[in-house]
Amino acid sequence: MAKRFSLKTMFSPLLISVLTFVVYYTYVVNMPSSQEPGDTDHHHLGLHHISEESITPVSGTRHFMVGAYMEDRIMGHSLRIISIFRQDSVQPLYCVFYCGTHWANGTEAVVHLHPEFFAQGFPFVATDVLCQSPPGCYGSHVTISTQADFKLSVNHTFLRIQNLDEETKIQFNFTVCVSNIFGDYNNVLQVTQTLEMYRLLGVQHVVLYNTSCGPDLETLLQSYKQEGFVEVLPWPIDQYMKPSPGWLFGEHGGDIHYYGQLATLNDCLYRQMYRSRYVLLNDLDEIITPYQHETLPQLMEELQREHPKAGVFLVENHIIHKNQFDPSGRFEHLWSYIPGRNIMEHIYRQEPIYPYSEMKMIVQPRFESSNTN
């Protein structure tokens, strides 16, 4: 027989629970600044103050944080925060750290706005923020602040610092970073053919930044995610500004170049720095294919032997026209029931127009040299 409860029998334990919560909340949230929490479960940061988003506003500014990464290639215990800054609003800033068991006052931030020919004229640009960790601080979380005093920043939103020692394990030999998907992109057939071509070429991991895609492509990407071949990172740049759908500010307008492409590619590079031996930065409608080797890892193995001091390899871009088709028609009806462009029908390659030929990069991300080949 079901047991019956009345409001009277429930009131007393409910009141005790509420009082217990109030006491706990008052103690934790209003803890004196001189008292340092002893645990490491990060509750002292506040449940709503650790960002799980790919774009996080910087309090009191017009800037945004994307990802925070330890930078051991720079002398000292350094940190790099991939960011997006409003160019006309750069002010003195600080990196405020939570050090695992205690807070530390902020260290001065060095701001590097990314110079980029195509990004000229846009109000917002991809930015690196570099900071030294405070003495005795092995940071777990960080935020950008207009104030150095940590007491004024504890209620800001913090990022988890990535690429810490316990995370530095190579998982993939070759990763492809794809900058942006936007405009409800739904070219399922071309994406499938591109991903499967990369799989045949020895790629083990593909990272996509997704602002918006169509329902068919969403279903496809979910399938690739489940098998672990594709990693999809949300990129809601359109919630914070008006992104440009094109390359040139004078022609396309908007607040940031090509949906923040430079920020996503830089974030992907550092996100994969200790996970992948090689990283290819590319667009979704482009495929890098070696013609003397069966796979990309085989190509890189030979290139590294020939150029042991090179950390970046540039690949010349050739355009294949979408309006010119294979005259034999042998691929015309293959996969005709799948929406999207069949790339196997297009075989005519245009020679680059020098000196304006574009390049794609294959990077050995942990390499300290800036030499390229």
Side-chain angles (χ1 to χ4, degrees), residues 128-148:
D128 281 351
V129 177
L130 298 173
C131 285
Q132 290 286 324
S133 296
C137 176
Y138 193 78
S140 61
H141 295 78
V142 69
T143 192
I144 298 174
S145 176
T146 58
Q147 304 290 334

Side-chain angles (χ1 to χ4, degrees), residues 151-164:
K151 300 182 189 70
L152 302 176
S153 304
V154 293
N155 289 322
H156 292 182
T157 302
F158 280 70
L159 300 183
R160 181 179 68 87
I161 299 174
Q162 303 184 58
N163 292 349
L164 300 175

Side-chain angles (χ1 to χ4, degrees), residues 64 66-67 69 71 73 80-87 90 110-130 256-257 260-270 281 361:
F64 302 89
V66 177
Y69 303 94
E71 178 58 278
R73 301 174 305 167
R80 185 185 302 267
I81 304 177
I82 306 300
S83 308
I84 297 173
F85 269 41
R86 174 91 185 192
Q87 296 193 72
V90 179
V110 178
V111 176
H112 293 300
L113 304 178
H114 282 219
E116 170 60 45
F117 171 75
F118 290 113
Q120 291 182 3
F122 291 102
F124 289 89
V125 294
T127 304
D128 281 351
V129 177
L130 298 173
I256 191 168
H257 165 257
Q261 180 185 64
L262 293 178
T264 58
L265 289 177
N266 277 274
D267 180 70
C268 190
L269 179 64
Y270 280 91
L281 307 176
M361 291 193 296

Side-chain angles (χ1 to χ4, degrees), residues 61-63 85-93 123:
T61 76
R62 305 180 73 179
H63 313 315
F85 269 41
R86 174 91 185 192
Q87 296 193 72
D88 60 3
S89 302
V90 179
Q91 69 263 60
L93 296 168

Side-chain angles (χ1 to χ4, degrees), residues 187-217:
N187 195 337
V188 175
L189 181 54
Q190 181 169 341
V191 171
T192 304
Q193 291 175 330
T194 299
L195 292 176
E196 292 302 326
M197 176 63 77
Y198 273 129
R199 198 199 299 266
L200 292 172
L201 291 173
V203 171
Q204 299 168 301
H205 187 217
V206 178
V207 182
L208 304 169
Y209 287 74
N210 182 21
T211 300
S212 65
C213 67
D216 299 321
L217 185 56

